[in-house]
Amino acid sequence: VQLQASGGGLVQAGGSLRLSCVASGTIFKINTMYWYRQAPGKQRELVATITNTGRTNYADSVKGRFTISRDNAKNSLYLQMNSLKPEDTATYFCVEEVQVGPNYEYEYEGQGTLVTVSS
């Protein structure tokens, strides 16, 4: 299974970006999906979570500005980021709990996509 993240880039403060993460390979089912981020010199931070039933959770720092969503038919995960701030600058990683068979679940991580927000 491979996760391909995309959508990062350079944006001015107040702008928007939409990150995508597409899973490919032998996939029986994708359970919980996550977006993490890591800024230079800082610890990795959990940004948002979405379960296979669509329940979402967000870090306090992004609530009201970011929206996580998924398209199960396309094995895709998204992160709509609005009202971006310089402190949102980081490399964003998608992580997914993927069942490759009825009884086998593994965690996979994408390669990361860089988001840079200028002030």
Side-chain angles (χ1 to χ4, degrees):
V1 175
Q2 289 188 325
L3 304 185
Q4 181 68 43
S6 62
L10 174 63
V11 64
Q12 287 189 332
S16 298
L17 283 174
R18 187 185 193 224
L19 305 184
S20 300
C21 179
V22 180
S24 61
T26 303
I27 297 170
F28 179 75
K29 181 183 176 183
I30 302 178
N31 294 317
T32 303
M33 296 172 156
Y34 311 83
W35 282 105
Y36 285 84
R37 68 185 180 185
Q38 187 163 21
K42 295 189 176 181
Q43 288 190 332
R44 183 173 287 202
E45 174 187 20
L46 176 60
V47 175
T49 303
I50 185 166
T51 69
N52 58 0
T53 60
R55 188 168 67 244
T56 59
N57 196 36
Y58 298 91
D60 288 342
S61 58
V62 307
K63 277 181 183 176
R65 300 188 298 122
F66 290 11
T67 302
I68 189 171
S69 61
R70 61 191 287 168
D71 184 334
N72 292 331
K74 297 180 179 179
N75 291 330
S76 294
L77 171 68
Y78 306 100
L79 185 68
Q80 177 67 43
M81 306 185 295
N82 298 328
S83 302
L84 282 161
K85 304 175 181 180
E87 50 264 44
D88 294 318
T89 295
T91 298
Y92 285 71
F93 300 89
C94 53
V95 175
E96 300 182 5
E97 297 172 353
V98 180
Q99 284 184 246
V100 298
N103 301 308
Y104 298 92
E105 181 183 279
Y106 301 98
E107 190 172 274
Y108 294 91
E109 179 175 312
Q111 84 285 6
T113 184
L114 178 62
V115 172
T116 304
V117 184
S118 63
S119 57

